[in-house]
Amino acid sequence: MHLAYPAVLSALLFCTGLYGVLARRNAILVLMSVELMLNAVNLNLVAFDVWLSRAAEETLHSGQALTLFTIAIAAAEIGIGLAIVLAVHRNRGTADIDKLRDTAEGHDPDTSDDDARTAEQATESGRTGKAEATA
């Protein structure tokens, strides 16, 4: 088998994962897309390791060993990432990345800055009215 076949498949998997990271708004789908990208890299490592072992007399299989380390790190990463996403979903009620960004910055996505200013001014005028009524 030629080296081009797994390389093209790896490039397609990586581009699919990159699209998933850039286009998706759900944190779990973003994590799955990152895993797809890591698997594309693993496929590339194994394909080049097999190709280079045919050319060289010694077969160390360093690409396959690196792939095993990458799989172990990816498993730990997805476990920790999923735990964080579930904890955030439990606390905030959503796993949407845009909504999480808005709540982290302190903005309420339902109200604009003008609505917040008018509500604040109405609260202040109500306080002064009550103070004058009690005096």
Side-chain angles (χ1 to χ4, degrees):
M1 178 168 33
H2 294 284
L3 181 63
Y5 297 131
V8 168
L9 179 63
S10 175
L12 288 174
L13 283 174
F14 191 84
C15 289
T16 305
L18 185 64
Y19 173 75
V21 167
L22 296 177
R24 299 293 178 186
R25 296 295 166 222
N26 190 348
I28 295 176
L29 292 177
V30 170
L31 286 174
M32 288 175 59
S33 298
V34 169
E35 288 294 320
L36 192 62
M37 291 169 63
L38 286 172
N39 286 331
V41 171
N42 288 339
L43 177 65
N44 223 0
L45 282 171
V46 170
F48 275 98
D49 180 55
V50 169
W51 182 66
L52 288 174
S53 69
R54 288 181 186 168
E57 293 179 9
E58 347 175 307
T59 55
L60 292 176
H61 298 294
S62 57
Q64 293 177 13
L66 188 58
T67 298
L68 288 176
F69 284 119
T70 307
I71 290 171
I73 290 172
E77 175 258 334
I78 198 69
I80 292 171
L82 188 60
I84 291 171
V85 168
L86 289 176
V88 167
H89 185 270
R90 194 174 299 144
N91 288 338
R92 304 243 175 122
T94 184
D96 190 10
I97 295 173
D98 290 335
K99 291 180 183 176
L100 293 176
R101 186 180 312 133
D102 290 340
T103 56
E105 292 173 355
H107 298 298
D108 189 12
D110 296 333
T111 61
S112 65
D113 290 336
D114 295 332
D115 294 339
R117 286 187 195 123
T118 24
E120 185 178 311
Q121 290 171 355
T123 306
E124 287 178 9
S125 65
R127 287 181 192 157
T128 56
K130 288 179 186 177
E132 290 175 0
T134 56

